[in-house]
Amino acid sequence: MNPTPSQTVGPFYGYALPFPGGGDIATGGIAVHGYVYDGAGEPVPDALLEFWQADENGSRAGAPGTMRRDPTNGAVLGRDGVRFTGFGRVATDYDGHWALRTVVPQNGYISVCVFARGLLHHLYTRIYLGQDGFLDSLAPERRQTLVAVEEREGVHRFDIHLQGEKETVFLDFG
């Protein structure tokens, strides 16, 4: 039997994809957090977000092999907490909330890939922590959907709206 549309997309993300420390791209930097909302403005409790970014010097290389496993049973222990990887993966909680610890990237943005129930294809967007030429090309009301709001020093908020009047700008890399 072929899977039905409701079987082709999760919510399976909480089972194997998140890992301990998945939102800790770097220590001693900034915190970025927010919520994922559906088209009705309700929180999405089972989304999965992946993040990629450059470091403070603009390098996108990241350190390989920073995932640690227990040598006895192979269980994932998480990151080593020292090396910058440039990659993070977090699931939203019951309230649709997610959080990330990282550094401010030299290029001014963090790339985001959104996986969620009801999406047959993942969505790409960016979290901008400052101004950029690309942002200047967008209408002001669309531009604001890509810019994180600094709540206080070192803490930024970025909400993702999958549909509706506040829909986040999603990018096409094709």
mmCIF file of all heavy atoms in Angstrom, residues 93-114:
data_model
loop_
_atom_site.group_PDB
_atom_site.id
_atom_site.type_symbol
_atom_site.label_atom_id
_atom_site.label_comp_id
_atom_site.label_asym_id
_atom_site.label_seq_id
_atom_site.Cartn_x
_atom_site.Cartn_y
_atom_site.Cartn_z
ATOM 1 N N ASP A 93 9.077 22.597 21.137
ATOM 2 C CA ASP A 93 8.443 21.933 22.274
ATOM 3 C C ASP A 93 6.925 21.989 22.112
ATOM 4 O O ASP A 93 6.407 22.406 21.069
ATOM 5 C CB ASP A 93 8.917 22.540 23.600
ATOM 6 C CG ASP A 93 8.495 23.992 23.807
ATOM 7 O OD1 ASP A 93 7.601 24.492 23.073
ATOM 8 O OD2 ASP A 93 9.051 24.633 24.718
ATOM 9 N N TYR A 94 6.217 21.591 23.133
ATOM 10 C CA TYR A 94 4.758 21.524 23.085
ATOM 11 C C TYR A 94 4.128 22.873 22.741
ATOM 12 O O TYR A 94 3.066 22.936 22.129
ATOM 13 C CB TYR A 94 4.222 21.007 24.415
ATOM 14 C CG TYR A 94 2.723 20.840 24.413
ATOM 15 C CD1 TYR A 94 2.131 19.746 23.779
ATOM 16 C CD2 TYR A 94 1.898 21.773 25.034
ATOM 17 C CE1 TYR A 94 0.753 19.591 23.757
ATOM 18 C CE2 TYR A 94 0.520 21.621 25.018
ATOM 19 C CZ TYR A 94 -0.043 20.540 24.377
ATOM 20 O OH TYR A 94 -1.402 20.390 24.353
ATOM 21 N N ASP A 95 4.785 23.960 23.123
ATOM 22 C CA ASP A 95 4.275 25.302 22.860
ATOM 23 C C ASP A 95 4.787 25.876 21.544
ATOM 24 O O ASP A 95 4.567 27.052 21.263
ATOM 25 C CB ASP A 95 4.654 26.245 24.005
ATOM 26 C CG ASP A 95 4.010 25.829 25.322
ATOM 27 O OD1 ASP A 95 2.825 25.439 25.311
ATOM 28 O OD2 ASP A 95 4.694 25.891 26.350
ATOM 29 N N GLY A 96 5.495 25.067 20.748
ATOM 30 C CA GLY A 96 6.031 25.545 19.480
ATOM 31 C C GLY A 96 7.313 26.337 19.621
ATOM 32 O O GLY A 96 7.784 26.965 18.672
ATOM 33 N N HIS A 97 7.928 26.308 20.805
ATOM 34 C CA HIS A 97 9.132 27.100 21.082
ATOM 35 C C HIS A 97 10.408 26.339 20.730
ATOM 36 O O HIS A 97 10.470 25.128 20.875
ATOM 37 C CB HIS A 97 9.162 27.474 22.566
ATOM 38 C CG HIS A 97 10.275 28.395 22.925
ATOM 39 N ND1 HIS A 97 11.405 27.959 23.576
ATOM 40 C CD2 HIS A 97 10.446 29.719 22.704
ATOM 41 C CE1 HIS A 97 12.217 28.996 23.768
ATOM 42 N NE2 HIS A 97 11.667 30.066 23.237
ATOM 43 N N TRP A 98 11.411 27.062 20.283
ATOM 44 C CA TRP A 98 12.733 26.515 20.008
ATOM 45 C C TRP A 98 13.776 27.504 20.521
ATOM 46 O O TRP A 98 13.478 28.684 20.729
ATOM 47 C CB TRP A 98 12.933 26.260 18.511
ATOM 48 C CG TRP A 98 12.780 27.509 17.683
ATOM 49 C CD1 TRP A 98 11.628 28.001 17.142
ATOM 50 C CD2 TRP A 98 13.806 28.436 17.350
ATOM 51 N NE1 TRP A 98 11.870 29.171 16.486
ATOM 52 C CE2 TRP A 98 13.206 29.462 16.587
ATOM 53 C CE3 TRP A 98 15.170 28.501 17.604
ATOM 54 C CZ2 TRP A 98 13.925 30.549 16.097
ATOM 55 C CZ3 TRP A 98 15.887 29.578 17.110
ATOM 56 C CH2 TRP A 98 15.263 30.585 16.366
ATOM 57 N N ALA A 99 15.015 27.034 20.730
ATOM 58 C CA ALA A 99 16.094 27.904 21.206
ATOM 59 C C ALA A 99 17.427 27.412 20.668
ATOM 60 O O ALA A 99 17.629 26.220 20.448
ATOM 61 C CB ALA A 99 16.124 27.941 22.732
ATOM 62 N N LEU A 100 18.332 28.368 20.491
ATOM 63 C CA LEU A 100 19.633 28.123 19.885
ATOM 64 C C LEU A 100 20.667 28.985 20.587
ATOM 65 O O LEU A 100 20.381 30.132 20.937
ATOM 66 C CB LEU A 100 19.510 28.531 18.409
ATOM 67 C CG LEU A 100 20.674 28.436 17.471
ATOM 68 C CD1 LEU A 100 21.008 26.980 17.197
ATOM 69 C CD2 LEU A 100 20.292 29.119 16.156
ATOM 70 N N ARG A 101 21.874 28.445 20.828
ATOM 71 C CA ARG A 101 23.003 29.237 21.335
ATOM 72 C C ARG A 101 24.079 29.232 20.264
ATOM 73 O O ARG A 101 24.453 28.163 19.760
ATOM 74 C CB ARG A 101 23.545 28.661 22.637
ATOM 75 C CG ARG A 101 22.602 28.867 23.794
ATOM 76 C CD ARG A 101 23.201 28.476 25.112
ATOM 77 N NE ARG A 101 23.956 27.229 25.024
ATOM 78 C CZ ARG A 101 24.904 26.864 25.875
ATOM 79 N NH1 ARG A 101 25.220 27.632 26.874
ATOM 80 N NH2 ARG A 101 25.523 25.718 25.742
ATOM 81 N N THR A 102 24.576 30.414 19.921
ATOM 82 C CA THR A 102 25.546 30.503 18.832
ATOM 83 C C THR A 102 26.353 31.789 18.928
ATOM 84 O O THR A 102 26.294 32.482 19.948
ATOM 85 C CB THR A 102 24.815 30.395 17.469
ATOM 86 O OG1 THR A 102 25.776 30.270 16.442
ATOM 87 C CG2 THR A 102 23.895 31.581 17.222
ATOM 88 N N VAL A 103 27.083 32.096 17.887
ATOM 89 C CA VAL A 103 27.818 33.349 17.772
ATOM 90 C C VAL A 103 27.180 34.173 16.664
ATOM 91 O O VAL A 103 26.474 33.638 15.815
ATOM 92 C CB VAL A 103 29.319 33.120 17.463
ATOM 93 C CG1 VAL A 103 30.004 32.409 18.619
ATOM 94 C CG2 VAL A 103 29.492 32.347 16.171
ATOM 95 N N VAL A 104 27.436 35.469 16.660
ATOM 96 C CA VAL A 104 26.939 36.323 15.583
ATOM 97 C C VAL A 104 27.793 36.047 14.351
ATOM 98 O O VAL A 104 29.009 36.250 14.373
ATOM 99 C CB VAL A 104 27.002 37.806 15.963
ATOM 100 C CG1 VAL A 104 26.554 38.678 14.789
ATOM 101 C CG2 VAL A 104 26.133 38.080 17.184
ATOM 102 N N PRO A 105 27.174 35.552 13.276
ATOM 103 C CA PRO A 105 27.958 35.245 12.075
ATOM 104 C C PRO A 105 28.411 36.519 11.372
ATOM 105 O O PRO A 105 27.705 37.529 11.376
ATOM 106 C CB PRO A 105 26.972 34.466 11.198
ATOM 107 C CG PRO A 105 25.625 34.867 11.683
ATOM 108 C CD PRO A 105 25.768 35.224 13.124
ATOM 109 N N GLN A 106 29.595 36.464 10.772
ATOM 110 C CA GLN A 106 30.134 37.641 10.104
ATOM 111 C C GLN A 106 29.216 38.128 8.984
ATOM 112 O O GLN A 106 29.067 39.322 8.782
ATOM 113 C CB GLN A 106 31.527 37.358 9.543
ATOM 114 C CG GLN A 106 32.185 38.594 8.960
ATOM 115 C CD GLN A 106 33.498 38.281 8.304
ATOM 116 O OE1 GLN A 106 33.594 37.362 7.495
ATOM 117 N NE2 GLN A 106 34.521 39.039 8.659
ATOM 118 N N ASN A 107 28.573 37.199 8.280
ATOM 119 C CA ASN A 107 27.703 37.605 7.179
ATOM 120 C C ASN A 107 26.340 38.116 7.653
ATOM 121 O O ASN A 107 25.526 38.538 6.846
ATOM 122 C CB ASN A 107 27.525 36.472 6.169
ATOM 123 C CG ASN A 107 26.888 35.234 6.757
ATOM 124 O OD1 ASN A 107 26.489 35.205 7.909
ATOM 125 N ND2 ASN A 107 26.790 34.190 5.960
ATOM 126 N N GLY A 108 26.061 38.062 8.953
ATOM 127 C CA GLY A 108 24.866 38.679 9.509
ATOM 128 C C GLY A 108 23.604 37.848 9.532
ATOM 129 O O GLY A 108 22.563 38.317 9.973
ATOM 130 N N TYR A 109 23.652 36.606 9.051
ATOM 131 C CA TYR A 109 22.437 35.791 9.073
ATOM 132 C C TYR A 109 22.733 34.335 9.377
ATOM 133 O O TYR A 109 23.831 33.851 9.196
ATOM 134 C CB TYR A 109 21.655 35.891 7.756
ATOM 135 C CG TYR A 109 22.338 35.280 6.560
ATOM 136 C CD1 TYR A 109 22.236 33.917 6.289
ATOM 137 C CD2 TYR A 109 23.091 36.058 5.691
ATOM 138 C CE1 TYR A 109 22.860 33.349 5.197
ATOM 139 C CE2 TYR A 109 23.717 35.498 4.589
ATOM 140 C CZ TYR A 109 23.592 34.156 4.342
ATOM 141 O OH TYR A 109 24.218 33.585 3.258
ATOM 142 N N ILE A 110 21.676 33.654 9.836
ATOM 143 C CA ILE A 110 21.691 32.221 10.096
ATOM 144 C C ILE A 110 20.671 31.599 9.144
ATOM 145 O O ILE A 110 19.518 32.034 9.088
ATOM 146 C CB ILE A 110 21.301 31.921 11.558
ATOM 147 C CG1 ILE A 110 22.273 32.603 12.525
ATOM 148 C CG2 ILE A 110 21.243 30.417 11.803
ATOM 149 C CD1 ILE A 110 21.800 32.604 13.973
ATOM 150 N N SER A 111 21.073 30.602 8.387
ATOM 151 C CA SER A 111 20.160 29.911 7.476
ATOM 152 C C SER A 111 19.337 28.896 8.268
ATOM 153 O O SER A 111 19.847 28.240 9.169
ATOM 154 C CB SER A 111 20.936 29.186 6.380
ATOM 155 O OG SER A 111 21.631 30.110 5.583
ATOM 156 N N VAL A 112 18.057 28.771 7.908
ATOM 157 C CA VAL A 112 17.135 27.888 8.621
ATOM 158 C C VAL A 112 16.394 27.010 7.623
ATOM 159 O O VAL A 112 15.958 27.479 6.575
ATOM 160 C CB VAL A 112 16.083 28.698 9.419
ATOM 161 C CG1 VAL A 112 15.182 27.770 10.228
ATOM 162 C CG2 VAL A 112 16.740 29.729 10.305
ATOM 163 N N CYS A 113 16.242 25.739 7.971
ATOM 164 C CA CYS A 113 15.424 24.814 7.196
ATOM 165 C C CYS A 113 14.324 24.308 8.136
ATOM 166 O O CYS A 113 14.618 23.850 9.241
ATOM 167 C CB CYS A 113 16.265 23.653 6.672
ATOM 168 S SG CYS A 113 15.365 22.539 5.590
ATOM 169 N N VAL A 114 13.068 24.421 7.711
ATOM 170 C CA VAL A 114 11.922 24.075 8.539
ATOM 171 C C VAL A 114 11.267 22.795 8.011
ATOM 172 O O VAL A 114 10.905 22.718 6.841
ATOM 173 C CB VAL A 114 10.874 25.206 8.534
ATOM 174 C CG1 VAL A 114 9.677 24.838 9.412
ATOM 175 C CG2 VAL A 114 11.489 26.526 8.959
#
